[in-house]
Amino acid sequence: MSEQLKVPTMEEMMAEGRQPEYLFWVGSAGAFDDRAKKITKAFVKLLNKANVDFAVLGTEESDSGDAAKRAGNEFLFQMQAMTNIEVMNMYEIKKIITTDPHDYNTLKNEYPGLGGNYEVYHHTQFLKQLISEGKIKVKESEFKGKNVTFHDPCYLGRANEVFEAPRDLIDTLGVNFKEMKRNQRRSLCCGAGGAQMFKEPEKGDKDVNVLRTEDALETNPKVIITACPFCNTMMTDGVKAKEKEDAIEVLDIAELIANTQDL
């Protein structure tokens, strides 16, 4: 229900002489992909519920440049990054939250070398903080007691060592959490990283996302939990390839937390 969402832009905030504490970096997937937009909305509802002082860049946000860099186009990456850094530094942004591990990794680790120094949080880290501060109280989930598993996004887990935050959130839901055989540092990629999302896979015995979905199916889940819009797409496609879409949902952790708030 978009009319209930409060999503101020940095421009509006500055016009009122206000400096929000956080920038919510929506990311290209979160802004344009229909499935990822639902994750964006769920997260914004949680930010609103917790009265977080945040704003977005809106039309002033450009792609972070992650895909260009991974695909080897360093020139395009630097152009996109410099444009974003110029805008963010103009607004004197200090803290950023994002639902996309690719953007999290790029903003946190690659922007400093180009003059963009920010405190960057992935939404699983930020939600954990809100819950520990009592700003969000997780009530019973409709998935209470159901089997769930979690797929570690490469750019959150192996690249940035963020393993605990999503699992701590899952623990609050009262679900029956089963790890896949390959998890945390040994997790298998969903197949979308490194700009692979935007091309057809090379010939082989099996698509990576189907292989990863098979890992998930071994846990007999009702829900495959993700924490990345790209992983969400790949696991959803994997579930469809296995013709299990009637039995298994693929949901972002933010959607599950929002579900407990009746948001």
Side-chain angles (χ1 to χ4, degrees):
M1 320 269 253
S2 48
E3 63 275 6
Q4 293 173 345
L5 298 182
K6 292 202 297 286
V7 191
T9 64
M10 290 300 297
E11 196 175 19
E12 289 163 359
M13 289 287 239
M14 295 309 262
E16 292 170 17
R18 287 160 63 209
Q19 176 76 28
E21 189 177 357
Y22 297 96
L23 169 72
F24 171 33
W25 180 273
V26 180
S28 298
F32 296 112
D33 179 82
D34 284 344
R35 176 64 187 89
K37 283 182 203 170
K38 293 179 181 171
I39 300 168
T40 305
K41 284 180 181 169
F43 185 57
V44 166
K45 285 174 183 174
L46 291 167
L47 292 177
N48 286 169
K49 171 122 184 158
N51 291 316
V52 175
D53 181 23
F54 80 98
V56 298
L57 286 172
T59 54
E60 291 185 280
E61 181 185 304
S62 174
D63 186 88
S64 70
D66 160 75
K69 188 175 180 75
R70 306 294 157 237
N73 194 338
E74 184 66 25
F75 176 68
L76 178 57
F77 163 70
Q78 292 206 13
M79 270 176 33
Q80 289 178 306
M82 297 298 282
T83 306
N84 286 322
I85 289 167
E86 210 171 288
V87 171
M88 291 195 285
N89 289 353
M90 174 186 77
Y91 285 125
E92 297 179 7
I93 284 159
K94 304 281 187 290
K95 298 176 183 174
I96 304 175
I97 323 159
T98 180
T99 55
D100 187 334
H102 296 252
D103 292 340
Y104 169 77
N105 179 64
T106 302
L107 295 166
K108 179 172 179 273
N109 300 320
E110 288 163 351
Y111 274 32
L114 298 168
N117 294 288
Y118 317 104
E119 215 175 292
V120 188
Y121 299 89
H122 183 253
H123 72 306
T124 55
Q125 296 170 313
F126 197 70
L127 287 172
K128 181 183 170 181
Q129 186 180 311
L130 291 179
I131 290 168
S132 67
E133 289 167 358
K135 291 179 179 166
I136 289 176
K137 290 182 175 61
V138 180
K139 302 180 203 133
E140 275 203 352
S141 158
E142 67 175 75
F143 298 104
K144 185 178 193 296
K146 301 254 172 75
N147 281 1
V148 306
T149 193
F150 174 66
H151 166 72
D152 285 279
C154 294
Y155 282 91
L156 186 65
R158 288 181 298 173
N160 286 288
E161 305 273 296
V162 179
F163 299 114
E164 295 309 314
R167 287 171 172 79
D168 290 346
L169 292 176
I170 292 166
D171 281 348
T172 66
L173 294 167
V175 289
N176 183 22
F177 174 43
K178 292 186 173 182
E179 289 276 16
M180 295 187 222
K181 273 197 318 247
R182 296 183 262 208
N183 64 70
Q184 302 198 37
R185 269 182 197 82
R186 292 177 54 252
S187 181
L188 182 72
C189 177
C190 73
Q196 296 289 319
M197 177 85 175
F198 307 105
K199 58 181 272 301
E200 289 304 311
E202 288 89 2
K203 283 192 170 58
D205 298 337
K206 191 180 286 183
D207 286 357
V208 176
N209 65 314
V210 173
L211 187 61
R212 186 53 171 163
T213 302
E214 287 172 359
D215 283 0
L217 295 183
E218 282 177 18
T219 69
N220 192 24
K222 202 67 203 130
V223 185
I224 299 171
I225 301 174
T226 59
C228 166
F230 294 102
C231 296
N232 193 296
T233 298
M234 299 305 272
M235 298 306 282
T236 300
D237 286 352
V239 168
K240 282 180 185 154
K242 291 287 180 186
E243 299 184 348
K244 298 275 188 191
E245 61 264 48
D246 293 340
I248 299 171
E249 287 189 79
V250 180
L251 294 170
D252 189 272
I253 187 71
E255 294 178 299
L256 286 162
I257 304 281
N259 174 274
T260 73
Q261 310 295 306
D262 301 321
L263 295 174

